[in-house]
């Protein structure tokens, strides 16, 4: 996506997803630029984003990363793609690892 236009992307996301927090939308705008709406899909609330793993990371984003960014390992997701490695505690990382393993296995 176009990462240089994060404020423009954020404004569009806020108009398209009024039920989601500005913080979440800003994070996704920074991470994905114009592709953020592809991550969010038709979600109108955080409930529709699936499991919350902590630090604003939801199952829908993990699913997007597996399907479109070829994420296959926890380290790739936490350190290279999202930089959330320091923000999730051990229990959150374990829950995310289990979910990621299931999603990757389903892709095979």
């Amino acid at each position: 996506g176009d990462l240089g236009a994060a404020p423009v992307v954020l404004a569009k996301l806020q108009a398209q997803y009024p039920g989601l927090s500005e913080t979440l939308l800003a994070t996704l705008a920074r991470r994905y630029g114009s592709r953020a709406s592809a991550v969010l899909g038709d979600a109108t609330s955080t409930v529709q984003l699936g499991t919350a793993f902590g630090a604003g990371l939801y199952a829908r984003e993990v699913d997007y990363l597996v399907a479109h960014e070829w994420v296959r390992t926890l380290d790739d997701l936490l350190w290279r793609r999202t930089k959330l490695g320091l923000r999730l505690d051990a229990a959150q990382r374990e829950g995310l690892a289990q979910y990621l393993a299931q999603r990757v296995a389903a892709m095979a």
Side-chain angles (χ1 to χ4, degrees):
D2 181 2
L3 297 176
V8 173
V9 172
L10 176 57
K12 288 180 181 179
L13 291 174
Q14 288 173 310
Q16 188 175 356
Y17 300 98
L20 299 177
S21 75
E22 182 177 346
T23 301
L24 174 62
L25 296 175
T27 297
L28 294 174
R30 279 191 309 276
R31 279 190 201 144
Y32 302 102
S34 60
R35 292 179 296 139
S37 60
V39 175
L40 294 168
D42 62 354
T44 58
S45 69
T46 54
V47 170
Q48 292 177 312
L49 297 178
T51 303
F53 296 104
L57 180 66
Y58 289 87
R60 187 165 298 196
E61 184 176 358
V62 175
D63 294 348
Y64 176 85
L65 289 167
V66 169
H68 300 283
E69 301 282 336
W70 305 284
V71 165
R72 298 295 182 262
T73 68
L74 185 63
D75 280 348
D76 188 21
L77 193 151
L78 290 178
W79 298 104
R80 287 183 284 285
R81 307 298 176 144
T82 66
K83 310 298 188 243
L84 291 175
L86 293 174
R87 298 188 59 209
L88 298 179
D89 63 30
Q92 291 168 321
R93 286 192 305 270
E94 179 58 30
L96 177 57
Q98 290 175 9
Y99 182 83
L100 181 60
Q102 292 171 350
R103 298 306 298 158
V104 169
M107 296 290 290

